[in-house]
Amino acid sequence: AAGVIQSPRHLIKEKRETATLKCYPIPRHDTVYWYQQGPGQDPQFLISFYEKMQSDKGSIPDRFSAQQFSDYHSELNMSSLELGDSALYFCASTLGPRGGPDTQYFGPGTRLTVL
Amino acid sequence: AQTVTQSQPEMSVQEAETVTLSCTYDTSESDYYLFWYKQPPSRQMILVIRQEAYKQQNATENRFSVNFQKAAKSFSLKISDSQLGDAAMYFCAYRSAANRDDKIIFGKGTRLHILP
């Protein structure tokens, strides 16, 4: 079965640079979530989109922005990168109404390293 | 706000034995979902098992089963016949069933070692 696709899988950037992470949800899934997992930590929710509209926002820095496109893929844009942004960024997708029973399926993650 | 607590940062179990990972959570909601996710060294987040709060029957998935105690807000994972491939970080997780709040809240994780 098709899974969530994230690209790139690895990304190395310098401080103050920008980065764009992409997420392609499972076909027919209309909801996308972004999570950040720092080294040795649990994943933390950043932001989510449902039907191309932002639906919830967590502890996402103002330097980050995201959107969901008409084909339901999503991009997380990160500017003025800091060392502390080094983390594994997961995208997850699900289908159905908000609060519905559908499970969130996670992509393999993008490992961002900021030097 | 909801919280998830895993009190065992690390555990070890002999191959083929049974191990139980503990998880407690705090919520004022009555309808929600609970999950166990496995994160192996590849760091892929893999769903192990899921429980709907309105279901009294404990979820089971092959060698994995849960003990869901709603009143006690406890959700432990039992792994039977442990295998080397079960070695991973295990995260207990909560998700509200409320209409506008469906982000997943994770515990800090339990690292499980399988001893050959």
Side-chain angles (χ1 to χ4, degrees), chain A residues 9 31 33 35 37-45 48 55-56 88 90 97-108 111, chain B residues 33 35 37 39 41-47 50 52 54 89 91 95-109:
Chain A
R9 294 292 307 277
T31 307
Y33 307 80
Y35 295 85
Q37 186 179 25
Q41 297 181 5
D42 55 297
Q44 295 289 318
F45 171 72
S48 62
S55 57
D56 197 5
L88 187 61
F90 284 109
R98 302 292 313 286
D102 295 273
T103 298
Q104 293 181 24
Y105 292 93
F106 283 76
R111 184 183 300 275
Chain B
Y33 308 100
F35 309 87
Y37 280 91
Q39 190 175 42
S42 67
R43 304 201 70 189
Q44 171 83 47
M45 196 67 77
I46 301 166
L47 176 67
R50 160 195 150 132
E52 287 92 345
Y54 62 86
M89 179 73 88
F91 290 100
R95 180 166 78 84
S96 168
N99 229 4
R100 304 209 61 79
D101 182 8
D102 54 3
K103 63 182 176 292
I104 290 178
I105 299 168
F106 291 88
K108 296 298 182 186

Short mmCIF file of all heavy atoms in Angstrom, two decimals, chain A residues 9 31 33 35 37-45 48 55-56 88 90 97-108 111, chain B residues 33 35 37 39 41-47 50 52 54 89 91 95-109:
data_model
loop_
_atom_site.label_atom_id
_atom_site.label_comp_id
_atom_site.label_asym_id
_atom_site.label_seq_id
_atom_site.Cartn_x
_atom_site.Cartn_y
_atom_site.Cartn_z
N ARG A 9 14.90 13.28 2.23
CA ARG A 9 15.02 12.47 3.43
C ARG A 9 16.07 13.05 4.37
O ARG A 9 15.96 12.93 5.59
CB ARG A 9 15.40 11.04 3.07
CG ARG A 9 14.33 10.30 2.30
CD ARG A 9 13.08 10.03 3.17
NE ARG A 9 13.43 9.38 4.42
CZ ARG A 9 13.62 8.07 4.53
NH1 ARG A 9 13.48 7.28 3.47
NH2 ARG A 9 13.95 7.55 5.69
N THR A 31 -5.94 15.30 5.07
CA THR A 31 -5.44 16.00 6.25
C THR A 31 -3.98 15.67 6.45
O THR A 31 -3.58 14.51 6.38
CB THR A 31 -6.25 15.60 7.49
OG1 THR A 31 -7.64 15.80 7.24
CG2 THR A 31 -5.84 16.45 8.69
N TYR A 33 -0.43 16.54 8.85
CA TYR A 33 0.11 17.04 10.12
C TYR A 33 1.63 17.09 10.02
O TYR A 33 2.24 16.20 9.41
CB TYR A 33 -0.26 16.11 11.27
CG TYR A 33 -1.72 15.80 11.40
CD1 TYR A 33 -2.31 14.84 10.59
CD2 TYR A 33 -2.51 16.44 12.34
CE1 TYR A 33 -3.66 14.53 10.70
CE2 TYR A 33 -3.86 16.13 12.46
CZ TYR A 33 -4.42 15.18 11.63
OH TYR A 33 -5.75 14.89 11.75
N TYR A 35 5.11 17.24 12.48
CA TYR A 35 5.66 17.07 13.82
C TYR A 35 7.18 17.26 13.76
O TYR A 35 7.82 16.91 12.77
CB TYR A 35 5.37 15.68 14.38
CG TYR A 35 3.91 15.38 14.61
CD1 TYR A 35 3.10 14.91 13.59
CD2 TYR A 35 3.34 15.57 15.86
CE1 TYR A 35 1.76 14.64 13.80
CE2 TYR A 35 1.99 15.30 16.10
CZ TYR A 35 1.22 14.83 15.05
OH TYR A 35 -0.11 14.56 15.28
N GLN A 37 10.71 16.26 15.84
CA GLN A 37 11.28 15.41 16.89
C GLN A 37 12.76 15.74 17.06
O GLN A 37 13.59 15.39 16.21
CB GLN A 37 11.11 13.93 16.57
CG GLN A 37 11.58 13.02 17.71
CD GLN A 37 11.40 11.54 17.41
OE1 GLN A 37 11.37 11.14 16.24
NE2 GLN A 37 11.27 10.73 18.46
N GLY A 38 13.08 16.45 18.13
CA GLY A 38 14.47 16.77 18.42
C GLY A 38 15.21 15.53 18.91
O GLY A 38 14.59 14.51 19.24
N PRO A 39 16.53 15.60 18.97
CA PRO A 39 17.33 14.45 19.39
C PRO A 39 16.93 13.95 20.79
O PRO A 39 16.89 14.74 21.74
CB PRO A 39 18.75 15.01 19.39
CG PRO A 39 18.71 16.17 18.46
CD PRO A 39 17.35 16.76 18.60
N GLY A 40 16.60 12.69 20.89
CA GLY A 40 16.24 12.10 22.17
C GLY A 40 14.91 12.58 22.74
O GLY A 40 14.64 12.38 23.93
N GLN A 41 14.10 13.17 21.90
CA GLN A 41 12.82 13.70 22.39
C GLN A 41 11.63 13.02 21.72
O GLN A 41 11.79 12.26 20.76
CB GLN A 41 12.76 15.21 22.14
CG GLN A 41 13.83 15.99 22.89
CD GLN A 41 13.73 17.48 22.62
OE1 GLN A 41 12.82 17.95 21.95
NE2 GLN A 41 14.67 18.24 23.16
N ASP A 42 10.45 13.30 22.23
CA ASP A 42 9.23 12.81 21.60
C ASP A 42 8.80 13.81 20.53
O ASP A 42 9.16 14.99 20.59
CB ASP A 42 8.14 12.64 22.65
CG ASP A 42 7.89 13.91 23.44
OD1 ASP A 42 8.82 14.37 24.13
OD2 ASP A 42 6.77 14.45 23.33
N PRO A 43 8.05 13.35 19.55
CA PRO A 43 7.57 14.27 18.50
C PRO A 43 6.63 15.32 19.08
O PRO A 43 5.80 15.03 19.93
CB PRO A 43 6.84 13.34 17.54
CG PRO A 43 7.38 11.97 17.81
CD PRO A 43 7.68 11.96 19.28
N GLN A 44 6.79 16.54 18.58
CA GLN A 44 5.94 17.65 18.99
C GLN A 44 5.17 18.15 17.78
O GLN A 44 5.73 18.37 16.72
CB GLN A 44 6.80 18.78 19.56
CG GLN A 44 7.54 18.41 20.85
CD GLN A 44 6.61 18.26 22.04
OE1 GLN A 44 5.69 19.06 22.22
NE2 GLN A 44 6.85 17.24 22.84
N PHE A 45 3.89 18.37 17.98
CA PHE A 45 3.02 18.84 16.90
C PHE A 45 3.37 20.27 16.50
O PHE A 45 3.54 21.15 17.36
CB PHE A 45 1.57 18.76 17.36
CG PHE A 45 0.58 19.41 16.43
CD1 PHE A 45 0.27 18.83 15.21
CD2 PHE A 45 -0.02 20.60 16.78
CE1 PHE A 45 -0.63 19.43 14.36
CE2 PHE A 45 -0.93 21.20 15.94
CZ PHE A 45 -1.24 20.62 14.72
N SER A 48 -1.23 21.65 11.29
CA SER A 48 -1.99 20.70 10.48
C SER A 48 -2.88 21.43 9.50
O SER A 48 -3.22 22.61 9.69
CB SER A 48 -2.83 19.78 11.37
OG SER A 48 -3.79 20.52 12.12
N SER A 55 -5.73 23.95 10.05
CA SER A 55 -6.77 23.52 10.99
C SER A 55 -6.32 23.58 12.44
O SER A 55 -7.16 23.72 13.32
CB SER A 55 -7.22 22.11 10.66
OG SER A 55 -6.13 21.22 10.69
N ASP A 56 -5.05 23.50 12.70
CA ASP A 56 -4.56 23.57 14.07
C ASP A 56 -3.10 23.99 14.06
O ASP A 56 -2.39 23.75 13.08
CB ASP A 56 -4.72 22.21 14.77
CG ASP A 56 -4.62 22.30 16.28
OD1 ASP A 56 -4.52 23.42 16.82
OD2 ASP A 56 -4.64 21.24 16.93
N LEU A 88 14.28 15.75 13.39
CA LEU A 88 13.58 14.91 12.43
C LEU A 88 12.18 15.48 12.28
O LEU A 88 11.48 15.69 13.28
CB LEU A 88 13.55 13.47 12.94
CG LEU A 88 13.00 12.39 12.02
CD1 LEU A 88 13.82 12.29 10.75
CD2 LEU A 88 13.02 11.05 12.75
N PHE A 90 8.53 14.98 10.87
CA PHE A 90 7.58 13.99 10.36
C PHE A 90 6.37 14.67 9.76
O PHE A 90 5.87 15.68 10.27
CB PHE A 90 7.08 13.10 11.49
CG PHE A 90 8.05 12.07 11.95
CD1 PHE A 90 8.66 12.18 13.19
CD2 PHE A 90 8.34 10.97 11.16
CE1 PHE A 90 9.55 11.22 13.63
CE2 PHE A 90 9.24 10.00 11.59
CZ PHE A 90 9.84 10.13 12.82
N PRO A 97 -13.30 13.39 8.56
CA PRO A 97 -13.63 14.63 9.25
C PRO A 97 -12.78 14.81 10.49
O PRO A 97 -12.24 13.85 11.03
CB PRO A 97 -15.10 14.44 9.62
CG PRO A 97 -15.28 12.97 9.66
CD PRO A 97 -14.37 12.40 8.62
N ARG A 98 -12.65 16.04 10.93
CA ARG A 98 -11.87 16.35 12.10
C ARG A 98 -12.41 15.56 13.28
O ARG A 98 -13.60 15.46 13.49
CB ARG A 98 -11.96 17.84 12.41
CG ARG A 98 -11.49 18.75 11.29
CD ARG A 98 -10.01 18.65 11.05
NE ARG A 98 -9.24 18.73 12.28
CZ ARG A 98 -9.06 19.85 12.96
NH1 ARG A 98 -9.58 20.97 12.55
NH2 ARG A 98 -8.36 19.83 14.08
N GLY A 99 -11.48 15.01 14.04
CA GLY A 99 -11.88 14.24 15.20
C GLY A 99 -12.38 12.86 14.85
O GLY A 99 -12.81 12.12 15.73
N GLY A 100 -12.30 12.50 13.60
CA GLY A 100 -12.78 11.20 13.19
C GLY A 100 -11.87 10.08 13.65
O GLY A 100 -10.80 10.32 14.18
N PRO A 101 -12.25 8.86 13.39
CA PRO A 101 -11.51 7.71 13.94
C PRO A 101 -10.25 7.36 13.18
O PRO A 101 -9.50 6.50 13.60
CB PRO A 101 -12.54 6.58 13.83
CG PRO A 101 -13.36 6.95 12.63
CD PRO A 101 -13.45 8.44 12.65
N ASP A 102 -10.02 8.04 12.06
CA ASP A 102 -8.93 7.57 11.23
C ASP A 102 -7.56 7.80 11.86
O ASP A 102 -7.29 8.86 12.42
CB ASP A 102 -9.00 8.24 9.86
CG ASP A 102 -10.25 7.84 9.11
OD1 ASP A 102 -10.19 6.81 8.43
OD2 ASP A 102 -11.27 8.54 9.24
N THR A 103 -6.73 6.81 11.69
CA THR A 103 -5.39 6.85 12.25
C THR A 103 -4.49 7.75 11.42
O THR A 103 -4.62 7.81 10.20
CB THR A 103 -4.82 5.43 12.28
OG1 THR A 103 -5.63 4.64 13.14
CG2 THR A 103 -3.38 5.42 12.80
N GLN A 104 -3.58 8.44 12.08
CA GLN A 104 -2.56 9.21 11.37
C GLN A 104 -1.42 8.27 11.01
O GLN A 104 -0.87 7.57 11.87
CB GLN A 104 -2.04 10.34 12.26
CG GLN A 104 -3.08 11.41 12.54
CD GLN A 104 -2.55 12.53 13.39
OE1 GLN A 104 -1.34 12.78 13.43
NE2 GLN A 104 -3.43 13.24 14.06
N TYR A 105 -1.08 8.26 9.75
CA TYR A 105 0.03 7.45 9.27
C TYR A 105 1.23 8.35 9.00
O TYR A 105 1.10 9.36 8.30
CB TYR A 105 -0.38 6.69 8.01
CG TYR A 105 -1.41 5.64 8.30
CD1 TYR A 105 -2.76 5.91 8.17
CD2 TYR A 105 -1.03 4.37 8.74
CE1 TYR A 105 -3.71 4.94 8.45
CE2 TYR A 105 -1.98 3.41 9.03
CZ TYR A 105 -3.32 3.70 8.90
OH TYR A 105 -4.26 2.76 9.20
N PHE A 106 2.36 7.95 9.52
CA PHE A 106 3.54 8.79 9.46
C PHE A 106 4.43 8.46 8.27
O PHE A 106 4.58 7.31 7.89
CB PHE A 106 4.36 8.64 10.75
CG PHE A 106 3.79 9.38 11.92
CD1 PHE A 106 2.68 8.90 12.58
CD2 PHE A 106 4.35 10.57 12.34
CE1 PHE A 106 2.12 9.58 13.65
CE2 PHE A 106 3.81 11.26 13.42
CZ PHE A 106 2.70 10.77 14.07
N GLY A 107 5.03 9.52 7.71
CA GLY A 107 6.05 9.32 6.71
C GLY A 107 7.38 8.98 7.36
O GLY A 107 7.48 8.93 8.59
N PRO A 108 8.41 8.74 6.57
CA PRO A 108 9.72 8.32 7.10
C PRO A 108 10.49 9.46 7.75
O PRO A 108 11.48 9.21 8.43
CB PRO A 108 10.46 7.81 5.86
CG PRO A 108 9.84 8.57 4.73
CD PRO A 108 8.39 8.77 5.09
N ARG A 111 15.32 14.36 7.93
CA ARG A 111 16.32 14.70 8.96
C ARG A 111 17.02 15.98 8.54
O ARG A 111 17.75 16.00 7.54
CB ARG A 111 17.33 13.58 9.13
CG ARG A 111 18.33 13.84 10.27
CD ARG A 111 19.36 12.73 10.35
NE ARG A 111 18.74 11.43 10.59
CZ ARG A 111 18.42 10.98 11.78
NH1 ARG A 111 18.65 11.72 12.86
NH2 ARG A 111 17.88 9.79 11.92
N TYR B 33 -8.70 8.64 21.55
CA TYR B 33 -8.01 7.47 21.03
C TYR B 33 -6.64 7.37 21.69
O TYR B 33 -6.01 8.39 21.99
CB TYR B 33 -7.82 7.56 19.52
CG TYR B 33 -9.10 7.85 18.78
CD1 TYR B 33 -9.41 9.15 18.36
CD2 TYR B 33 -10.02 6.85 18.50
CE1 TYR B 33 -10.58 9.43 17.70
CE2 TYR B 33 -11.19 7.13 17.83
CZ TYR B 33 -11.48 8.42 17.43
OH TYR B 33 -12.65 8.69 16.78
N PHE B 35 -2.80 5.26 21.40
CA PHE B 35 -1.97 4.53 20.46
C PHE B 35 -0.65 4.12 21.12
O PHE B 35 -0.18 4.78 22.06
CB PHE B 35 -1.60 5.41 19.25
CG PHE B 35 -2.76 6.08 18.58
CD1 PHE B 35 -3.22 7.31 19.01
CD2 PHE B 35 -3.37 5.49 17.48
CE1 PHE B 35 -4.28 7.93 18.38
CE2 PHE B 35 -4.44 6.11 16.85
CZ PHE B 35 -4.89 7.34 17.29
N TYR B 37 3.07 3.66 19.38
CA TYR B 37 3.89 3.73 18.18
C TYR B 37 5.27 3.17 18.51
O TYR B 37 5.80 3.36 19.59
CB TYR B 37 4.04 5.18 17.71
CG TYR B 37 2.87 5.73 16.93
CD1 TYR B 37 1.83 6.39 17.57
CD2 TYR B 37 2.81 5.59 15.54
CE1 TYR B 37 0.75 6.90 16.85
CE2 TYR B 37 1.74 6.10 14.81
CZ TYR B 37 0.71 6.75 15.48
OH TYR B 37 -0.35 7.25 14.76
N GLN B 39 9.28 3.13 17.27
CA GLN B 39 10.27 3.84 16.47
C GLN B 39 11.59 3.07 16.55
O GLN B 39 12.36 3.22 17.49
CB GLN B 39 10.44 5.28 16.95
CG GLN B 39 11.28 6.12 16.01
CD GLN B 39 11.36 7.59 16.41
OE1 GLN B 39 11.49 7.93 17.57
NE2 GLN B 39 11.24 8.47 15.42
N PRO B 41 15.51 1.89 15.11
CA PRO B 41 16.67 2.74 14.80
C PRO B 41 16.53 3.51 13.49
O PRO B 41 17.14 4.57 13.33
CB PRO B 41 17.82 1.72 14.73
CG PRO B 41 17.40 0.64 15.67
CD PRO B 41 15.91 0.54 15.51
N SER B 42 15.75 3.02 12.56
CA SER B 42 15.52 3.76 11.31
C SER B 42 14.76 5.05 11.56
O SER B 42 14.71 5.93 10.69
CB SER B 42 14.73 2.90 10.33
OG SER B 42 13.42 2.67 10.82
N ARG B 43 14.14 5.15 12.73
CA ARG B 43 13.36 6.31 13.17
C ARG B 43 12.03 6.48 12.45
O ARG B 43 11.37 7.50 12.62
CB ARG B 43 14.20 7.59 13.14
CG ARG B 43 15.46 7.45 13.97
CD ARG B 43 16.04 8.75 14.38
NE ARG B 43 15.21 9.42 15.38
CZ ARG B 43 15.43 10.67 15.78
NH1 ARG B 43 16.43 11.37 15.29
NH2 ARG B 43 14.63 11.22 16.69
N GLN B 44 11.64 5.48 11.69
CA GLN B 44 10.29 5.47 11.14
C GLN B 44 9.31 5.33 12.29
O GLN B 44 9.55 4.60 13.24
CB GLN B 44 10.15 4.28 10.18
CG GLN B 44 8.75 4.02 9.69
CD GLN B 44 8.36 4.91 8.53
OE1 GLN B 44 9.11 5.05 7.58
NE2 GLN B 44 7.18 5.51 8.59
N MET B 45 8.21 6.03 12.24
CA MET B 45 7.18 5.95 13.28
C MET B 45 6.12 4.96 12.82
O MET B 45 5.39 5.22 11.86
CB MET B 45 6.59 7.34 13.51
CG MET B 45 5.80 7.47 14.80
SD MET B 45 6.81 7.34 16.27
CE MET B 45 7.55 8.95 16.28
N ILE B 46 6.05 3.84 13.51
CA ILE B 46 5.19 2.74 13.07
C ILE B 46 4.08 2.52 14.09
O ILE B 46 4.34 2.35 15.28
CB ILE B 46 6.02 1.44 12.94
CG1 ILE B 46 7.15 1.63 11.94
CG2 ILE B 46 5.13 0.27 12.51
CD1 ILE B 46 8.21 0.55 11.98
N LEU B 47 2.85 2.52 13.62
CA LEU B 47 1.72 2.27 14.50
C LEU B 47 1.71 0.80 14.91
O LEU B 47 1.74 -0.08 14.06
CB LEU B 47 0.41 2.62 13.81
CG LEU B 47 -0.86 2.32 14.60
CD1 LEU B 47 -0.95 3.22 15.82
CD2 LEU B 47 -2.09 2.49 13.72
N ARG B 50 -3.93 0.41 18.45
CA ARG B 50 -4.77 1.58 18.68
C ARG B 50 -6.00 1.14 19.47
O ARG B 50 -6.50 0.04 19.30
CB ARG B 50 -5.16 2.14 17.33
CG ARG B 50 -6.35 3.03 17.26
CD ARG B 50 -6.77 3.18 15.83
NE ARG B 50 -8.18 3.38 15.75
CZ ARG B 50 -8.75 4.34 15.02
NH1 ARG B 50 -7.99 5.15 14.32
NH2 ARG B 50 -10.04 4.47 14.98
N GLU B 52 -9.84 2.67 20.94
CA GLU B 52 -10.85 3.72 21.06
C GLU B 52 -11.34 3.74 22.50
O GLU B 52 -11.67 2.68 23.05
CB GLU B 52 -12.02 3.48 20.11
CG GLU B 52 -11.71 3.75 18.66
CD GLU B 52 -11.22 2.52 17.92
OE1 GLU B 52 -10.86 1.52 18.56
OE2 GLU B 52 -11.19 2.57 16.68
N TYR B 54 -14.10 4.52 23.82
CA TYR B 54 -15.47 4.07 24.06
C TYR B 54 -15.60 2.55 24.00
O TYR B 54 -16.65 2.00 24.34
CB TYR B 54 -16.43 4.72 23.07
CG TYR B 54 -16.17 4.38 21.63
CD1 TYR B 54 -16.72 3.23 21.05
CD2 TYR B 54 -15.40 5.20 20.83
CE1 TYR B 54 -16.49 2.91 19.73
CE2 TYR B 54 -15.16 4.90 19.51
CZ TYR B 54 -15.71 3.74 18.96
OH TYR B 54 -15.46 3.44 17.65
N MET B 89 12.26 2.24 20.30
CA MET B 89 11.63 3.18 21.23
C MET B 89 10.13 3.06 21.03
O MET B 89 9.66 3.04 19.89
CB MET B 89 12.11 4.59 20.93
CG MET B 89 11.51 5.65 21.83
SD MET B 89 12.20 5.58 23.49
CE MET B 89 13.62 6.64 23.28
N PHE B 91 6.45 4.71 21.89
CA PHE B 91 5.77 5.91 22.35
C PHE B 91 4.28 5.61 22.57
O PHE B 91 3.62 5.07 21.68
CB PHE B 91 5.88 7.04 21.32
CG PHE B 91 7.25 7.62 21.19
CD1 PHE B 91 8.08 7.23 20.15
CD2 PHE B 91 7.70 8.57 22.09
CE1 PHE B 91 9.36 7.77 20.02
CE2 PHE B 91 8.97 9.11 21.96
CZ PHE B 91 9.80 8.72 20.93
N ARG B 95 -4.93 10.98 21.34
CA ARG B 95 -5.53 11.93 20.40
C ARG B 95 -6.99 12.13 20.78
O ARG B 95 -7.72 11.18 21.00
CB ARG B 95 -5.44 11.42 18.97
CG ARG B 95 -6.05 12.38 17.95
CD ARG B 95 -5.65 12.03 16.53
NE ARG B 95 -6.40 10.91 15.98
CZ ARG B 95 -7.60 11.00 15.41
NH1 ARG B 95 -8.22 12.16 15.35
NH2 ARG B 95 -8.19 9.93 14.92
N SER B 96 -7.37 13.38 20.86
CA SER B 96 -8.75 13.71 21.19
C SER B 96 -9.67 13.29 20.05
O SER B 96 -9.26 13.24 18.89
CB SER B 96 -8.86 15.21 21.43
OG SER B 96 -10.21 15.61 21.49
N ALA B 97 -10.91 12.98 20.41
CA ALA B 97 -11.92 12.74 19.39
C ALA B 97 -12.81 13.96 19.21
O ALA B 97 -13.79 13.91 18.47
CB ALA B 97 -12.77 11.52 19.76
N ALA B 98 -12.45 15.05 19.89
CA ALA B 98 -13.22 16.29 19.76
C ALA B 98 -13.05 16.81 18.34
O ALA B 98 -12.05 16.55 17.67
CB ALA B 98 -12.75 17.32 20.77
N ASN B 99 -13.99 17.60 17.93
CA ASN B 99 -14.06 17.98 16.53
C ASN B 99 -12.87 18.78 16.02
O ASN B 99 -12.49 18.67 14.88
CB ASN B 99 -15.32 18.80 16.32
CG ASN B 99 -16.09 18.29 15.13
OD1 ASN B 99 -15.71 17.30 14.53
ND2 ASN B 99 -17.14 18.97 14.78
N ARG B 100 -12.31 19.60 16.84
CA ARG B 100 -11.33 20.50 16.29
C ARG B 100 -9.96 20.36 16.94
O ARG B 100 -9.16 21.29 16.93
CB ARG B 100 -11.82 21.94 16.42
CG ARG B 100 -13.17 22.17 15.77
CD ARG B 100 -13.35 23.56 15.28
NE ARG B 100 -12.38 23.93 14.29
CZ ARG B 100 -12.44 23.58 13.01
NH1 ARG B 100 -13.40 22.80 12.58
NH2 ARG B 100 -11.51 23.99 12.16
N ASP B 101 -9.68 19.22 17.49
CA ASP B 101 -8.39 19.04 18.13
C ASP B 101 -7.96 17.61 17.92
O ASP B 101 -8.36 16.72 18.67
CB ASP B 101 -8.49 19.35 19.62
CG ASP B 101 -7.14 19.23 20.33
OD1 ASP B 101 -6.13 19.06 19.63
OD2 ASP B 101 -7.12 19.30 21.56
N ASP B 102 -7.19 17.35 16.90
CA ASP B 102 -6.84 15.96 16.64
C ASP B 102 -5.35 15.74 16.46
O ASP B 102 -4.93 14.77 15.86
CB ASP B 102 -7.61 15.43 15.42
CG ASP B 102 -7.41 16.32 14.21
OD1 ASP B 102 -6.64 17.31 14.30
OD2 ASP B 102 -8.04 16.04 13.18
N LYS B 103 -4.56 16.64 17.01
CA LYS B 103 -3.13 16.40 17.01
C LYS B 103 -2.81 15.26 17.97
O LYS B 103 -3.55 15.00 18.93
CB LYS B 103 -2.37 17.66 17.43
CG LYS B 103 -2.68 18.12 18.85
CD LYS B 103 -1.93 19.38 19.17
CE LYS B 103 -2.31 19.91 20.55
NZ LYS B 103 -3.71 20.38 20.58
N ILE B 104 -1.71 14.58 17.72
CA ILE B 104 -1.29 13.51 18.60
C ILE B 104 -0.35 14.07 19.66
O ILE B 104 0.54 14.85 19.36
CB ILE B 104 -0.60 12.40 17.79
CG1 ILE B 104 -1.63 11.66 16.93
CG2 ILE B 104 0.09 11.41 18.73
CD1 ILE B 104 -1.03 10.58 16.06
N ILE B 105 -0.59 13.66 20.89
CA ILE B 105 0.28 14.02 22.01
C ILE B 105 1.03 12.76 22.42
O ILE B 105 0.42 11.75 22.75
CB ILE B 105 -0.53 14.58 23.18
CG1 ILE B 105 -1.28 15.84 22.73
CG2 ILE B 105 0.38 14.89 24.37
CD1 ILE B 105 -2.33 16.31 23.70
N PHE B 106 2.34 12.85 22.41
CA PHE B 106 3.17 11.69 22.69
C PHE B 106 3.73 11.73 24.12
O PHE B 106 3.96 12.81 24.68
CB PHE B 106 4.37 11.63 21.73
CG PHE B 106 4.01 11.33 20.31
CD1 PHE B 106 3.67 12.34 19.42
CD2 PHE B 106 4.02 10.01 19.85
CE1 PHE B 106 3.34 12.05 18.11
CE2 PHE B 106 3.70 9.72 18.53
CZ PHE B 106 3.36 10.75 17.68
N GLY B 107 3.96 10.55 24.67
CA GLY B 107 4.75 10.45 25.88
C GLY B 107 6.22 10.55 25.53
O GLY B 107 6.59 10.69 24.36
N LYS B 108 7.08 10.49 26.56
CA LYS B 108 8.52 10.66 26.34
C LYS B 108 9.17 9.40 25.77
O LYS B 108 10.31 9.45 25.34
CB LYS B 108 9.21 11.03 27.65
CG LYS B 108 8.77 12.39 28.19
CD LYS B 108 9.10 13.51 27.24
CE LYS B 108 8.71 14.86 27.81
NZ LYS B 108 8.90 15.95 26.81
N GLY B 109 8.47 8.30 25.79
CA GLY B 109 8.98 7.08 25.19
C GLY B 109 9.64 6.13 26.18
O GLY B 109 10.14 6.54 27.23
#
